[in-house]
Amino acid sequence: QTGSMFVAAYYLEKAVNESGDELEAMPFDEQVERADALAKSRRRRYQEVRSWVRLPTTGRVLLITQVVLMTICGYLSIVFPSMCFRDFEVTNRVDTDLRPIAHCYREGTSSVLERSKWTYMDGENGNEEMEGEIMQYIIGVNHDGTERCGYGDINMLSYLVSTALFIIFGYYCDHLVAEDIKQNPLPEPVLDENGRLVENPKDVEAAGVSSHGDKPAAPAEAAAVAAAAAPAAEMAAAAAVAGV
């Protein structure tokens, strides 16, 4: 693949050097240029519509809530990871090292971070250890739900809700853009005689096109039209003199 890439780059450079002027003079595909221009205008409109000054209250609430939840998730994951996730290494086993937590506090301790004081669930007969599950990697409440051992469940819930709000906000912005385009349609792209997009509307006349992208008549065509119209004009003038 690397060799094919170098070969393709060589022949591409060769074609540009040998036929650069011819390639430059080739007309662009008007449909592609028009589609690209409309897509660019739509992206620009998207940035304008979702700016904070134009964003409706619903969008602002969604965005602020999403940012707050993601900030909570980030701080818990990066600053306080020991309060969210249990220690688990490559050599550990899920069934033994991630057993459900029976109690987070023992012997008068009050800190959930003193994991040496934790006790884990055993089998019903009290002798066989209860097997763990991968979901036990996240520290939440104990097995009975009576003690809070950490905040991993809150962390994950904040992440899930924040992600969902992020997706909803994207669809909401798409809806706003669609409604805005209905009220204010995107400007029609203007192409020059080579089919290239005219970026500045002031350059329309210099590019030789009308505001609708139509090409003006060539000088030769204009002269032919004028010559064909001259006899008719002379006959009309003669008729007017005769009538007087």
Side-chain angles (χ1 to χ4, degrees):
Q1 293 181 353
T2 304
S4 300
M5 181 182 65
F6 282 111
V7 172
Y10 168 76
Y11 281 104
L12 181 62
E13 184 70 18
K14 181 180 179 181
V16 171
N17 293 332
E18 295 179 354
S19 308
D21 296 337
E22 181 180 354
L23 294 174
E24 186 68 22
M26 289 180 62
F28 282 40
D29 191 313
E30 294 187 4
Q31 293 182 353
V32 175
E33 284 289 299
R34 191 177 301 275
D36 290 343
L38 289 175
K40 184 177 181 180
S41 298
R42 182 179 177 83
R43 289 193 297 269
R44 188 182 299 113
R45 183 70 62 86
Y46 184 85
Q47 296 294 333
E48 294 174 356
V49 170
R50 75 168 189 172
S51 61
W52 184 259
V53 294
R54 294 189 57 181
L55 197 63
T57 303
T58 302
R60 295 185 180 185
V61 171
L62 286 174
L63 191 59
I64 292 175
T65 305
Q66 189 265 336
V67 171
V68 170
L69 292 176
M70 187 57 70
T71 302
I72 294 174
C73 176
Y75 271 103
L76 287 177
S77 300
I78 299 175
V79 182
F80 306 105
S82 59
M83 301 178 66
C84 301
F85 309 104
R86 294 169 63 174
D87 295 332
F88 190 79
E89 301 177 354
V90 178
T91 56
N92 293 140
R93 293 175 57 88
V94 174
D95 55 352
T96 58
D97 294 286
L98 295 181
R99 285 185 297 146
I101 303 172
H103 297 286
C104 309
Y105 306 97
R106 193 174 65 175
E107 298 178 1
T109 61
S110 59
S111 175
V112 298
L113 297 181
E114 295 187 41
R115 302 185 182 183
S116 60
K117 307 296 184 181
W118 290 2
T119 58
Y120 299 94
M121 293 293 298
D122 291 333
E124 295 181 358
N125 55 8
N127 297 322
E128 181 182 359
E129 293 182 348
M130 189 173 183
E131 291 188 357
E133 299 179 358
I134 191 63
M135 291 301 299
Q136 298 294 332
Y137 173 69
I138 299 175
I139 304 175
V141 295
N142 64 339
H143 186 72
D144 296 332
T146 57
E147 300 175 1
R148 172 157 293 281
C149 307
Y151 305 98
D153 52 346
I154 297 177
N155 182 27
M156 293 303 299
L157 182 61
S158 300
Y159 174 78
L160 293 176
V161 175
S162 176
T163 303
L165 290 179
F166 179 79
I167 297 174
I168 295 174
F169 180 76
Y171 281 108
Y172 179 74
C173 289
D174 291 339
H175 170 72
L176 293 179
V177 172
E179 293 297 324
D180 187 78
I181 291 177
K182 288 181 181 180
Q183 298 179 3
N184 302 300
L186 297 175
E188 183 66 21
V190 179
L191 307 178
D192 62 12
E193 58 184 3
N194 293 323
R196 299 177 182 176
L197 178 66
V198 179
E199 296 287 349
N200 188 358
K202 296 181 180 179
D203 298 336
V204 171
E205 297 181 359
V209 294
S210 67
S211 59
H212 299 286
D214 300 328
K215 299 179 182 178
E221 296 176 354
V225 173
E234 293 176 358
M235 292 177 62
V241 172
V244 174

